[in-house]
Amino acid sequence: TVTRCLNPTSFALRSASKQQSQPLPLVVSATSAAVEADPQVTTAASSKSLPFRVGHGFDLHRLEPGYPLIIGGINIPHERGCEAHSDGDVLLHCVVDAILGALGLPDIGQIFPDSDPKWKGAASSVFIREAVRLMHDAGYELGNLDATLILQRPKLSPHKEVIRSNLCELLGADPSVVNLKAKTHEKVDSLGENRSIAAHTVVLLMRK
């Protein structure tokens, strides 16, 4: 949404005129439908059609013994994994949030609440496929995606390409538009002490 600074009186007059002459755009919220029903029936509607939209996603999970470490849909051998209601896939979660954010929709926790037992242990591929559906339904496609994983251990170099390949498949995207980076946290705080894992993602969506 583009915000312009207008004279308050002028803005009020214009607003009143628009309300009399034009119906207000309908904004459909995805939240209630996703909580009460299968998220596949969720629809997205933008209040303003833009040639492109940018979204940012962030996620962090605590690492605990006894859980699998799943990143981008790939099970990574490690003595600790993400404690979470679903499978705790930090990369897919933040990719979903980036897409939802670009579309102006609620975050992943609202659409797939951890209070709903149906998502207990759910594969995060379910969430990302729904986000992709919402993207296409809103008339957009992925321009490009840039993601950064932050964890101290294990080293992701041996796994990066298979993670990226699986992410591309889930998104239905060409590998040339999906970038994946991994960084340590220089042994600082919970990330650097191998007690947590985090991810950032930025996406560009383009009008079809």
Side-chain angles (χ1 to χ4, degrees):
T1 302
V2 179
T3 303
R4 293 187 178 130
C5 294
L6 299 173
N7 179 280
T9 303
S10 173
F11 179 79
L13 291 173
R14 292 187 189 182
S15 299
S17 174
K18 287 183 179 179
Q19 289 174 359
Q20 293 174 2
S21 60
Q22 298 178 5
L24 290 175
L26 177 64
V27 180
V28 181
S29 171
T31 308
S32 60
V35 172
E36 298 172 4
D38 191 298
Q40 290 186 353
V41 302
T42 305
T43 56
S46 171
S47 59
K48 185 171 184 179
S49 176
L50 298 171
F52 60 86
R53 303 181 74 100
V54 175
H56 172 261
F58 169 77
D59 196 32
L60 180 145
H61 283 288
R62 187 166 55 246
L63 291 172
E64 296 287 355
Y67 292 89
L69 179 59
I70 301 173
I71 302 176
I74 304 301
N75 199 324
I76 307 297
H78 192 48
E79 69 272 13
R80 292 170 176 258
C82 292
E83 182 181 17
H85 185 70
S86 64
D87 64 1
D89 193 322
V90 67
L91 176 59
L92 294 192
H93 289 183
C94 82
V95 169
V96 169
D97 258 351
I99 294 173
L100 295 177
L103 295 173
L105 291 173
D107 62 46
I108 188 173
Q110 292 178 268
I111 296 182
F112 305 99
D114 59 13
S115 57
D116 191 334
K118 81 162 90 174
W119 307 125
K120 179 66 175 176
S124 295
S125 58
V126 173
F127 309 150
I128 202 162
R129 287 192 176 104
E130 176 63 4
V132 170
R133 184 189 72 81
L134 291 169
M135 175 181 69
H136 290 310
D137 285 355
Y140 290 90
E141 61 186 357
L142 184 67
N144 74 296
L145 177 152
D146 185 33
T148 302
L149 287 159
I150 307 170
L151 72 166
Q152 197 67 30
R153 298 192 309 273
K155 295 294 185 183
L156 286 186
S157 298
H159 310 288
K160 277 178 62 178
E161 281 310 306
V162 67
I163 292 172
R164 189 169 76 98
S165 177
N166 194 56
L167 181 58
C168 291
E169 183 177 346
L170 290 170
L171 292 168
D174 188 275
S176 64
V177 302
V178 176
N179 189 45
L180 177 63
K181 309 183 297 296
K183 299 177 69 67
T184 70
H185 215 244
E186 299 296 336
K187 299 183 179 180
V188 176
D189 65 34
S190 66
L191 288 165
E193 294 169 359
N194 196 40
R195 294 186 287 113
S196 63
I197 177 175
H200 289 269
T201 298
V202 177
V203 297
L204 171 68
L205 307 186
M206 303 181 69
R207 173 66 63 181
K208 293 183 182 179

PDB file of all heavy atoms in Angstrom, residues 128-149:
ATOM      1  N   ILE A 128       3.488 -24.578   2.922  1.00  0.00           N
ATOM      2  CA  ILE A 128       4.073 -23.828   1.812  1.00  0.00           C
ATOM      3  C   ILE A 128       3.252 -24.011   0.531  1.00  0.00           C
ATOM      4  O   ILE A 128       3.114 -23.079  -0.264  1.00  0.00           O
ATOM      5  CB  ILE A 128       5.558 -24.220   1.595  1.00  0.00           C
ATOM      6  CG1 ILE A 128       6.281 -23.101   0.840  1.00  0.00           C
ATOM      7  CG2 ILE A 128       5.714 -25.540   0.865  1.00  0.00           C
ATOM      8  CD1 ILE A 128       7.780 -23.168   0.933  1.00  0.00           C
ATOM      9  N   ARG A 129       2.659 -25.185   0.355  1.00  0.00           N
ATOM     10  CA  ARG A 129       1.801 -25.378  -0.821  1.00  0.00           C
ATOM     11  C   ARG A 129       0.565 -24.494  -0.740  1.00  0.00           C
ATOM     12  O   ARG A 129       0.077 -23.997  -1.757  1.00  0.00           O
ATOM     13  CB  ARG A 129       1.423 -26.852  -0.953  1.00  0.00           C
ATOM     14  CG  ARG A 129       2.584 -27.734  -1.421  1.00  0.00           C
ATOM     15  CD  ARG A 129       2.120 -29.123  -1.814  1.00  0.00           C
ATOM     16  NE  ARG A 129       3.222 -29.901  -2.350  1.00  0.00           N
ATOM     17  CZ  ARG A 129       3.865 -30.860  -1.692  1.00  0.00           C
ATOM     18  NH1 ARG A 129       3.496 -31.159  -0.443  1.00  0.00           N
ATOM     19  NH2 ARG A 129       4.861 -31.528  -2.250  1.00  0.00           N
ATOM     20  N   GLU A 130       0.046 -24.298   0.466  1.00  0.00           N
ATOM     21  CA  GLU A 130      -1.093 -23.397   0.631  1.00  0.00           C
ATOM     22  C   GLU A 130      -0.691 -21.959   0.359  1.00  0.00           C
ATOM     23  O   GLU A 130      -1.434 -21.202  -0.271  1.00  0.00           O
ATOM     24  CB  GLU A 130      -1.662 -23.536   2.041  1.00  0.00           C
ATOM     25  CG  GLU A 130      -2.799 -22.579   2.367  1.00  0.00           C
ATOM     26  CD  GLU A 130      -4.041 -22.773   1.519  1.00  0.00           C
ATOM     27  OE1 GLU A 130      -4.089 -23.714   0.704  1.00  0.00           O
ATOM     28  OE2 GLU A 130      -4.975 -21.965   1.659  1.00  0.00           O
ATOM     29  N   ALA A 131       0.498 -21.549   0.809  1.00  0.00           N
ATOM     30  CA  ALA A 131       0.973 -20.200   0.536  1.00  0.00           C
ATOM     31  C   ALA A 131       1.146 -19.970  -0.962  1.00  0.00           C
ATOM     32  O   ALA A 131       0.810 -18.902  -1.485  1.00  0.00           O
ATOM     33  CB  ALA A 131       2.294 -19.954   1.266  1.00  0.00           C
ATOM     34  N   VAL A 132       1.661 -20.968  -1.665  1.00  0.00           N
ATOM     35  CA  VAL A 132       1.830 -20.867  -3.123  1.00  0.00           C
ATOM     36  C   VAL A 132       0.462 -20.766  -3.800  1.00  0.00           C
ATOM     37  O   VAL A 132       0.282 -19.992  -4.749  1.00  0.00           O
ATOM     38  CB  VAL A 132       2.625 -22.075  -3.656  1.00  0.00           C
ATOM     39  CG1 VAL A 132       2.587 -22.120  -5.184  1.00  0.00           C
ATOM     40  CG2 VAL A 132       4.076 -22.007  -3.177  1.00  0.00           C
ATOM     41  N   ARG A 133      -0.519 -21.517  -3.307  1.00  0.00           N
ATOM     42  CA  ARG A 133      -1.865 -21.438  -3.882  1.00  0.00           C
ATOM     43  C   ARG A 133      -2.438 -20.036  -3.709  1.00  0.00           C
ATOM     44  O   ARG A 133      -3.023 -19.459  -4.642  1.00  0.00           O
ATOM     45  CB  ARG A 133      -2.787 -22.461  -3.220  1.00  0.00           C
ATOM     46  CG  ARG A 133      -4.185 -22.506  -3.849  1.00  0.00           C
ATOM     47  CD  ARG A 133      -5.132 -23.363  -3.048  1.00  0.00           C
ATOM     48  NE  ARG A 133      -5.511 -22.714  -1.806  1.00  0.00           N
ATOM     49  CZ  ARG A 133      -6.458 -21.778  -1.713  1.00  0.00           C
ATOM     50  NH1 ARG A 133      -7.084 -21.347  -2.807  1.00  0.00           N
ATOM     51  NH2 ARG A 133      -6.755 -21.246  -0.553  1.00  0.00           N
ATOM     52  N   LEU A 134      -2.269 -19.478  -2.504  1.00  0.00           N
ATOM     53  CA  LEU A 134      -2.760 -18.123  -2.253  1.00  0.00           C
ATOM     54  C   LEU A 134      -2.074 -17.107  -3.158  1.00  0.00           C
ATOM     55  O   LEU A 134      -2.700 -16.177  -3.651  1.00  0.00           O
ATOM     56  CB  LEU A 134      -2.527 -17.769  -0.781  1.00  0.00           C
ATOM     57  CG  LEU A 134      -3.387 -18.524   0.233  1.00  0.00           C
ATOM     58  CD1 LEU A 134      -2.858 -18.286   1.651  1.00  0.00           C
ATOM     59  CD2 LEU A 134      -4.840 -18.117   0.136  1.00  0.00           C
ATOM     60  N   MET A 135      -0.786 -17.292  -3.382  1.00  0.00           N
ATOM     61  CA  MET A 135      -0.032 -16.405  -4.262  1.00  0.00           C
ATOM     62  C   MET A 135      -0.602 -16.427  -5.676  1.00  0.00           C
ATOM     63  O   MET A 135      -0.848 -15.379  -6.280  1.00  0.00           O
ATOM     64  CB  MET A 135       1.445 -16.828  -4.270  1.00  0.00           C
ATOM     65  CG  MET A 135       2.322 -16.065  -5.238  1.00  0.00           C
ATOM     66  SD  MET A 135       4.052 -16.645  -5.192  1.00  0.00           S
ATOM     67  CE  MET A 135       3.896 -18.287  -5.916  1.00  0.00           C
ATOM     68  N   HIS A 136      -0.824 -17.627  -6.199  1.00  0.00           N
ATOM     69  CA  HIS A 136      -1.359 -17.738  -7.557  1.00  0.00           C
ATOM     70  C   HIS A 136      -2.794 -17.224  -7.640  1.00  0.00           C
ATOM     71  O   HIS A 136      -3.168 -16.560  -8.618  1.00  0.00           O
ATOM     72  CB  HIS A 136      -1.284 -19.184  -8.036  1.00  0.00           C
ATOM     73  CG  HIS A 136       0.113 -19.664  -8.298  1.00  0.00           C
ATOM     74  ND1 HIS A 136       1.018 -18.960  -9.067  1.00  0.00           N
ATOM     75  CD2 HIS A 136       0.774 -20.785  -7.893  1.00  0.00           C
ATOM     76  CE1 HIS A 136       2.163 -19.609  -9.134  1.00  0.00           C
ATOM     77  NE2 HIS A 136       2.045 -20.714  -8.415  1.00  0.00           N
ATOM     78  N   ASP A 137      -3.592 -17.518  -6.615  1.00  0.00           N
ATOM     79  CA  ASP A 137      -4.975 -17.048  -6.618  1.00  0.00           C
ATOM     80  C   ASP A 137      -5.058 -15.530  -6.614  1.00  0.00           C
ATOM     81  O   ASP A 137      -6.003 -14.943  -7.138  1.00  0.00           O
ATOM     82  CB  ASP A 137      -5.735 -17.604  -5.407  1.00  0.00           C
ATOM     83  CG  ASP A 137      -6.102 -19.072  -5.566  1.00  0.00           C
ATOM     84  OD1 ASP A 137      -5.843 -19.639  -6.652  1.00  0.00           O
ATOM     85  OD2 ASP A 137      -6.639 -19.657  -4.605  1.00  0.00           O
ATOM     86  N   ALA A 138      -4.070 -14.887  -5.991  1.00  0.00           N
ATOM     87  CA  ALA A 138      -4.038 -13.424  -5.953  1.00  0.00           C
ATOM     88  C   ALA A 138      -3.473 -12.831  -7.243  1.00  0.00           C
ATOM     89  O   ALA A 138      -3.438 -11.608  -7.397  1.00  0.00           O
ATOM     90  CB  ALA A 138      -3.216 -12.946  -4.761  1.00  0.00           C
ATOM     91  N   GLY A 139      -3.031 -13.693  -8.167  1.00  0.00           N
ATOM     92  CA  GLY A 139      -2.543 -13.219  -9.454  1.00  0.00           C
ATOM     93  C   GLY A 139      -1.059 -12.936  -9.516  1.00  0.00           C
ATOM     94  O   GLY A 139      -0.604 -12.194 -10.392  1.00  0.00           O
ATOM     95  N   TYR A 140      -0.281 -13.548  -8.601  1.00  0.00           N
ATOM     96  CA  TYR A 140       1.162 -13.304  -8.573  1.00  0.00           C
ATOM     97  C   TYR A 140       1.947 -14.593  -8.779  1.00  0.00           C
ATOM     98  O   TYR A 140       1.432 -15.697  -8.596  1.00  0.00           O
ATOM     99  CB  TYR A 140       1.575 -12.680  -7.230  1.00  0.00           C
ATOM    100  CG  TYR A 140       1.096 -11.263  -7.052  1.00  0.00           C
ATOM    101  CD1 TYR A 140      -0.149 -11.002  -6.474  1.00  0.00           C
ATOM    102  CD2 TYR A 140       1.863 -10.181  -7.472  1.00  0.00           C
ATOM    103  CE1 TYR A 140      -0.612  -9.707  -6.313  1.00  0.00           C
ATOM    104  CE2 TYR A 140       1.409  -8.873  -7.307  1.00  0.00           C
ATOM    105  CZ  TYR A 140       0.175  -8.646  -6.733  1.00  0.00           C
ATOM    106  OH  TYR A 140      -0.280  -7.359  -6.584  1.00  0.00           O
ATOM    107  N   GLU A 141       3.194 -14.426  -9.156  1.00  0.00           N
ATOM    108  CA  GLU A 141       4.138 -15.532  -9.233  1.00  0.00           C
ATOM    109  C   GLU A 141       5.447 -15.093  -8.591  1.00  0.00           C
ATOM    110  O   GLU A 141       5.691 -13.898  -8.407  1.00  0.00           O
ATOM    111  CB  GLU A 141       4.367 -15.959 -10.687  1.00  0.00           C
ATOM    112  CG  GLU A 141       4.952 -14.873 -11.569  1.00  0.00           C
ATOM    113  CD  GLU A 141       5.031 -15.304 -13.026  1.00  0.00           C
ATOM    114  OE1 GLU A 141       4.688 -16.460 -13.316  1.00  0.00           O
ATOM    115  OE2 GLU A 141       5.436 -14.476 -13.854  1.00  0.00           O
ATOM    116  N   LEU A 142       6.274 -16.081  -8.241  1.00  0.00           N
ATOM    117  CA  LEU A 142       7.530 -15.760  -7.573  1.00  0.00           C
ATOM    118  C   LEU A 142       8.508 -15.108  -8.529  1.00  0.00           C
ATOM    119  O   LEU A 142       8.839 -15.668  -9.575  1.00  0.00           O
ATOM    120  CB  LEU A 142       8.147 -17.039  -6.984  1.00  0.00           C
ATOM    121  CG  LEU A 142       9.415 -16.855  -6.163  1.00  0.00           C
ATOM    122  CD1 LEU A 142       9.126 -16.090  -4.873  1.00  0.00           C
ATOM    123  CD2 LEU A 142      10.045 -18.212  -5.835  1.00  0.00           C
ATOM    124  N   GLY A 143       8.975 -13.912  -8.165  1.00  0.00           N
ATOM    125  CA  GLY A 143      10.024 -13.261  -8.939  1.00  0.00           C
ATOM    126  C   GLY A 143      11.369 -13.837  -8.537  1.00  0.00           C
ATOM    127  O   GLY A 143      12.095 -14.398  -9.350  1.00  0.00           O
ATOM    128  N   ASN A 144      11.701 -13.715  -7.252  1.00  0.00           N
ATOM    129  CA  ASN A 144      12.883 -14.399  -6.716  1.00  0.00           C
ATOM    130  C   ASN A 144      12.772 -14.490  -5.199  1.00  0.00           C
ATOM    131  O   ASN A 144      11.942 -13.815  -4.571  1.00  0.00           O
ATOM    132  CB  ASN A 144      14.187 -13.724  -7.135  1.00  0.00           C
ATOM    133  CG  ASN A 144      14.442 -12.439  -6.403  1.00  0.00           C
ATOM    134  OD1 ASN A 144      13.687 -11.473  -6.544  1.00  0.00           O
ATOM    135  ND2 ASN A 144      15.509 -12.400  -5.617  1.00  0.00           N
ATOM    136  N   LEU A 145      13.581 -15.347  -4.631  1.00  0.00           N
ATOM    137  CA  LEU A 145      13.577 -15.597  -3.183  1.00  0.00           C
ATOM    138  C   LEU A 145      15.019 -15.673  -2.703  1.00  0.00           C
ATOM    139  O   LEU A 145      15.858 -16.304  -3.346  1.00  0.00           O
ATOM    140  CB  LEU A 145      12.832 -16.901  -2.877  1.00  0.00           C
ATOM    141  CG  LEU A 145      12.757 -17.385  -1.430  1.00  0.00           C
ATOM    142  CD1 LEU A 145      11.484 -18.204  -1.232  1.00  0.00           C
ATOM    143  CD2 LEU A 145      13.961 -18.236  -1.025  1.00  0.00           C
ATOM    144  N   ASP A 146      15.290 -15.035  -1.562  1.00  0.00           N
ATOM    145  CA  ASP A 146      16.616 -15.086  -0.954  1.00  0.00           C
ATOM    146  C   ASP A 146      16.432 -15.453   0.515  1.00  0.00           C
ATOM    147  O   ASP A 146      15.737 -14.743   1.257  1.00  0.00           O
ATOM    148  CB  ASP A 146      17.320 -13.734  -1.088  1.00  0.00           C
ATOM    149  CG  ASP A 146      18.745 -13.777  -0.569  1.00  0.00           C
ATOM    150  OD1 ASP A 146      19.392 -14.842  -0.687  1.00  0.00           O
ATOM    151  OD2 ASP A 146      19.224 -12.746  -0.047  1.00  0.00           O
ATOM    152  N   ALA A 147      17.024 -16.563   0.934  1.00  0.00           N
ATOM    153  CA  ALA A 147      16.863 -17.047   2.310  1.00  0.00           C
ATOM    154  C   ALA A 147      18.220 -17.210   2.977  1.00  0.00           C
ATOM    155  O   ALA A 147      19.203 -17.586   2.338  1.00  0.00           O
ATOM    156  CB  ALA A 147      16.118 -18.380   2.319  1.00  0.00           C
ATOM    157  N   THR A 148      18.258 -16.928   4.281  1.00  0.00           N
ATOM    158  CA  THR A 148      19.464 -17.114   5.084  1.00  0.00           C
ATOM    159  C   THR A 148      19.124 -17.946   6.312  1.00  0.00           C
ATOM    160  O   THR A 148      18.241 -17.568   7.088  1.00  0.00           O
ATOM    161  CB  THR A 148      20.048 -15.763   5.544  1.00  0.00           C
ATOM    162  OG1 THR A 148      20.327 -14.956   4.398  1.00  0.00           O
ATOM    163  CG2 THR A 148      21.334 -15.977   6.335  1.00  0.00           C
ATOM    164  N   LEU A 149      19.824 -19.065   6.464  1.00  0.00           N
ATOM    165  CA  LEU A 149      19.705 -19.900   7.655  1.00  0.00           C
ATOM    166  C   LEU A 149      20.804 -19.526   8.631  1.00  0.00           C
ATOM    167  O   LEU A 149      21.946 -19.284   8.225  1.00  0.00           O
ATOM    168  CB  LEU A 149      19.831 -21.374   7.285  1.00  0.00           C
ATOM    169  CG  LEU A 149      18.635 -21.990   6.554  1.00  0.00           C
ATOM    170  CD1 LEU A 149      19.075 -23.251   5.807  1.00  0.00           C
ATOM    171  CD2 LEU A 149      17.525 -22.319   7.535  1.00  0.00           C
TER     172      LEU A 149
END
